[in-house]
Amino acid sequence: MNMEMFDLTVIWAFIIGFGLMMYVLMDGFDLGLGILYPFAPDEDARDVMMNSVAPIWDGNETWLVLSGAGLLGAFPLVYSVFLPALYIGVFLMLAGLIFRGVAFELRFKSKRNRHWWNRAFCWGSAIAAFAQGAVVGAYIQGFPVENFAYVGGAFDWLTPFTILTGFGLMAGYALLGATWLILKSEGHIQDWAYKITPMLLALVLLVFGIISVWTPFVNPLVWERWFGNIQLIWIFPFLAMACAFIVYRSVQKRREAAPFLATIGIYLFTYLGLIVSKWPIIVPPNYTLWDAASAPESQLFLLVGFVFIIPIVLTYTAWAYWVFRGKVRVGEGYH
């Protein structure tokens, strides 16, 4: 095979972008359930919320591992800049994921101290979601880089803009969690999920609207990309708003699958809008995919492994979701 026919850097950009999108969608709803945990109507509802994701949550995080490994092998400059710049944010995200993972297993085994594991699940989910949103905000605003090295401080990533993006992702994950609960629950738990979904949708649209207005002032490249001339790029916010309308109408009609699928659509089109806003910049404000890429030989070697791994992960994921399909009822579940 003549690999000169292909741009391995672009192929790897699509692979990593796909992996990150899969992680956001698949781990987003169980992080969202953790954020909603304190507001659940009762302990039975919390049992159902956790049981609905207990068989699949650790498989969801496989996509984060794959994306991280691919990023290190294919774009080492990203690691050399992002880790020093976002060390504290990444540490908070991992700490939150660890607390949440421990709570998954120990909450069902503990009777007297279950309330502590409820808090661990909630706070772990909230901290992980906020950190992820803040990291995205830091990526949008860019990093001070000289000679391919980060030259800023440890807290330069934490700004009013990244705090807003952190809370924005928390709201988005909560919406994803609520619509997942509509799909997987019934009775008074499902009624509660139907009730809170329109409020969460309004909050998401408000926060994302503020972020959209603020972003061009944070990064001039985004302003040029969106307002320099009329382009098809505007199709993405239009489709995202169409999905938001579908969420609202489907909740009114008490449909079960449509709210969750439409919320996935909101994330997908917002994500694509972010990509086209920055393409081909991968280390903002100046370094492109090709500046950050490893040697073609390294990319090719790693690609061979991923060609085998990704279909296996996709097959396992589809099988797991199929096996654990259907409603989760009070008193029943994985545990």
Side-chain angles (χ1 to χ4, degrees), residues 38-39 45 58 67 107 114 157 180 186 205 216 244 255 300 307:
F39 310 102
D58 46 356
S67 300
R107 178 182 178 274
R114 175 171 288 191
W157 62 277
W180 168 261
E186 58 187 10
L205 293 178
R255 294 173 179 166
L300 179 58
V307 167

Side-chain angles (χ1 to χ4, degrees), residues 36-324:
L36 294 173
Y37 226 55
F39 310 102
D42 51 39
E43 200 66 16
D44 285 340
R46 295 187 182 95
D47 288 342
V48 169
M49 291 164 74
M50 186 169 281
N51 278 326
S52 72
V53 295
I56 55 177
W57 73 272
D58 46 356
N60 294 341
E61 293 184 351
T62 303
W63 294 104
L64 182 62
V65 177
L66 284 176
S67 300
L71 198 63
L72 176 61
F75 300 103
L77 178 62
V78 175
Y79 259 75
S80 66
V81 172
F82 280 27
L83 282 186
L86 303 171
Y87 182 82
I88 295 176
V90 172
F91 171 80
L92 288 174
M93 181 189 72
L94 295 177
L97 293 177
I98 291 170
F99 270 94
R100 185 187 63 145
V102 173
F104 260 112
E105 300 302 328
L106 296 185
R107 178 182 178 274
F108 287 97
K109 296 178 174 63
S110 176
K111 301 299 181 182
R112 185 172 54 185
N113 297 315
R114 175 171 288 191
H115 60 286
W116 288 110
W117 297 117
N118 286 343
R119 292 186 178 96
F121 183 61
C122 170
W123 282 102
S125 300
I127 291 171
F130 175 83
Q132 290 175 17
V135 166
V136 172
Y139 170 73
I140 293 172
Q141 69 183 9
F143 307 94
V145 180
E146 294 180 6
N147 298 321
F148 299 96
Y150 177 68
V151 294
F155 288 95
D156 285 3
W157 62 277
L158 192 62
T159 65
F161 180 76
T162 62
I163 291 173
L164 181 62
T165 58
F167 284 116
L169 194 61
M170 287 178 64
Y173 280 168
L175 175 62
L176 202 56
T179 54
W180 168 261
L181 196 59
I182 289 173
L183 178 65
K184 299 294 289 186
S185 66
E186 58 187 10
H188 76 285
I189 303 171
Q190 187 184 60
D191 292 339
W192 174 71
Y194 274 122
K195 179 180 178 180
I196 63 174
T197 295
M199 295 183 287
L200 291 171
L201 177 63
L203 178 61
V204 168
L205 293 178
L206 174 63
V207 175
F208 278 29
I210 296 173
I211 292 173
S212 299
V213 173
W214 196 344
T215 296
F217 298 96
V218 171
N219 190 320
L221 174 64
V222 176
W223 179 275
E224 296 173 5
R225 188 65 56 86
W226 284 84
F227 298 99
N229 48 58
I230 302 299
Q231 297 177 334
L232 290 176
I233 192 173
W234 285 95
I235 192 67
F236 296 116
F238 174 80
L239 291 173
M241 291 302 298
C243 288
F245 178 75
I246 293 172
V247 173
Y248 176 74
R249 289 294 296 166
S250 58
V251 167
Q252 282 189 325
K253 296 180 179 181
R254 294 186 70 86
R255 294 173 179 166
E256 294 189 337
F260 182 65
L261 296 176
T263 303
I264 288 177
I266 295 174
Y267 267 93
L268 177 61
F269 294 122
T270 302
Y271 182 71
L272 292 174
L274 173 62
I275 290 176
V276 298
S277 297
K278 307 287 285 187
W279 183 272
I281 300 297
I282 193 172
V283 181
N286 299 317
Y287 294 104
T288 67
L289 294 167
W290 296 272
D291 295 326
S294 60
E297 295 80 7
S298 299
Q299 291 183 336
L300 179 58
F301 176 79
L302 194 61
L303 181 62
V304 172
F306 269 63
V307 167
F308 289 98
I309 291 174
I310 291 179
I312 293 173
V313 175
L314 285 171
T315 302
Y316 164 79
T317 300
W319 177 80
Y321 276 81
W322 174 256
V323 169
F324 295 101

